[in-house]
């Protein structure tokens, strides 16, 4: 059943760039606008309001926004020729960092608003009708208290897995990173607010939650008694909520892996044994220049503690190559830490100078050609590690969350605990269940599996709720 809308529904198109938090934020913007008659559309040509939810983490990501705005100007001109109009908004981290500069470069923009203003969106749109609006404040009020929850039908449509922001911002100030400037200081949502949002998602049939934060394991939300609660305890509390089958969190800083969080990995079967724990570089000299506050040895020690607690855990990471001053010997240490940790997968980036960060003015910037060459070598190594990890899954029986129909009829597809795509023979009714699947063959981008014995779902109503929107 579709949500009830006021008669003159307007069409909303949101284009999301960057990280998972932006994906979450885009959904929340859509939720904020739904009661005001805005209905999402997948066709930009059909939209009354286009929002670009932008990313500022690297230069390329930022520049994409301005080329998209060029295309939107053409769309707006066409519309106006036909006597109609379209409103154009820029949200997210580019909006926060560039503010008025966006309107100066692209006068087509009606509305610029930062990540802390999403709850004000309906009001900002109303004001933008009278002239350009720029809102990049960090307001006193808690935006989450003002953002409406998604309608149950909308949550069901979004699928079996959901993101949930628990923490925003960062106080670490790594010398390459814009996040502390665009997302601001670390703020944790109160425990009860997180639990309430989780209950709503789970009651609508979500089975897997990924807790989000720029520095998620620095989470320290207050509970009802005003006590500060860490991410480990939050995981224990969430795991008690009926309907939660799988729990993940991202992105973490190595220094914030507390004993309690490691205990959660040891004791909670529902906490997936797959952890994104960026190290950025394997060289102590570069880690110091990056102001990461940890050495190679302290990072290795953290991974050992986690693996002692949960031996089937696999790690993924982030790496930056070509940070100012990085020599071939430093880079060799990055290759060697990647191998030593044995990452199952990793995101790799060429260092991108971000205005306003300490890295931008450091001496010894690395030439582009060297960055590209190092990136290619690191990518080759990571790719072969990912393939080796997939191969090591052959013969293992992994619990797979079945999410959708497969490519061929009679097939279904899902995800392993390690976020690998798994395809297997199986009836459609298994969508929305977790099945024990023997991994038969590791392909390039997915695994082929065979369901060992069909575990019948214990919640028929959950299956029904998903069947109704299939
Ligand atoms: N240049 C390249 N990569 C960056 N990252 C953050 N800032 C930069 C930058 N200036 C990468 C880091 C981080 C991930 C989200 O993006 O690896 O973990
Ligand atoms: Fe950026 Fe992460 Fe460092 Fe914070 S901890 S400054 S988000 S890289």
């Amino acid at each position: 059943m579709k949500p009830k809308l006021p008669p003159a529904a307007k069409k909303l198109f949101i284009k999301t760039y960057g990280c998972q938090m932006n994906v979450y934020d885009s959904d929340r913007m859509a939720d904020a606008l739904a009661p005001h008659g805005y209905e999402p559309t997948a066709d930009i040509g059909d939209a009354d309001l286009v929002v670009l939810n932008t990313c500022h983490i690297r230069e390329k990501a930022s520049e994409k926004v301005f080329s998209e705005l060029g295309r939107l100007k053409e769309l707006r001109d066409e519309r106006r020729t036909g006597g109609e109009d379209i409103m154009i908004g820029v949200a997210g981290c580019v909006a926060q960092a560039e503010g008025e500069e966006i309107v100066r470069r692209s006068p087509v923009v009606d509305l610029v608003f930062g990540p802390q203003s999403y709850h004000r969106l309906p009001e900002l749109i109303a004001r933008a009708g009278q002239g350009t609006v720029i809102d990049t404040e960090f307001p006193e009020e808690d935006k989450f208290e003002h953002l409406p929850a998604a309608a149950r039908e909308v949550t069901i449509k979004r699928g079996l897995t959901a993101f949930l922001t628990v923490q925003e911002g960062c106080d670490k100030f790594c010398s390459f990173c814009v996040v502390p400037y665009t997302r601001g200081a670390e703020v944790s949502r109160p425990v009860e607010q997180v639990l309430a949002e989780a209950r709503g998602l789970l009651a609508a049939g979500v089975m897997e939650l990924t807790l989000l934060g720029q520095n998620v394991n620095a989470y320290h939300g207050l509970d009802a008694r005003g006590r500060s609660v860490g991410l480990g305890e939050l995981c224990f509390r969430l795991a008690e909520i009926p309907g939660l089958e799988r729990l993940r969190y991202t992105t973490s800083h190595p220094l914030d892996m507390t004993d309690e969080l490691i205990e959660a990995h040891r004791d909670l079967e529902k906490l997936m044994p797959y952890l994104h724990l960026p190290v950025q570089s394997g060289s102590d000299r570069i880690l110091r220049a990056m102001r990461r506050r940890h050495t190679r040895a302290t990072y290795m020690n953290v991974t050992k503690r986690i693996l002692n607690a949960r031996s089937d855990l696999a790690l993924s990471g982030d790496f930056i190559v070509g940070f100012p001053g990085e020599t071939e010997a430093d880079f060799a240490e990055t290759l060697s830490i990647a191998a030593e940790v044995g990452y199952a997968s990793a995101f790799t980036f060429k260092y991108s100078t971000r205005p306003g960060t300490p890295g931008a003015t450091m001496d010894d910037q690395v030439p582009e050609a060297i960055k590209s060459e190092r990136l290619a070598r690191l990518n080759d190594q990571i790719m072969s590690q990912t393939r080796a990890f997939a191969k090591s899954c052959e013969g293992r029986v992994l619990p797979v969350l079945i999410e959708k129909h497969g490519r061929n009829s009679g097939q279904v597809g899902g995800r392993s605990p390690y976020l690998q795509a798994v395809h297997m023979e199986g009836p459609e009714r298994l969508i929305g269940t977790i099945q024990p699947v023997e991994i038969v063959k590791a392909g390039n981008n997915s695994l082929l599996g065979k369901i060992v014995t069909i575990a019948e779902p214990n919640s028929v109503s959950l299956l029904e709720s998903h069947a109704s929107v299939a």
Side-chain angles (χ1 to χ4, degrees), residues 19 56-59 174-179 214 251-252 276 278-280 290 292 317-321 323 347-354 357:
C19 65
H56 199 242
I57 196 98
R58 284 168 292 276
E59 191 182 355
C174 298
S175 60
F176 51 82
C177 188
V178 287
V179 165
Q214 271 90 26
T251 286
S252 295
H276 187 61
V279 69
Q280 315 295 355
M290 286 178 165
R292 286 288 292 175
D318 285 344
F319 291 96
I320 297 177
V321 301
F323 187 78
F347 299 98
T348 57
F349 309 102
K350 282 195 263 188
Y351 172 66
S352 168
T353 340
R354 305 315 289 128
T357 61

Side-chain angles (χ1 to χ4, degrees), residues 5 12 16 19 39 231 272 334 339 363 466:
L5 289 171
L12 165 70
T16 308
C19 65
E39 195 181 49
L231 188 67
M272 290 294 96
T334 292
D363 295 335
H466 281 275

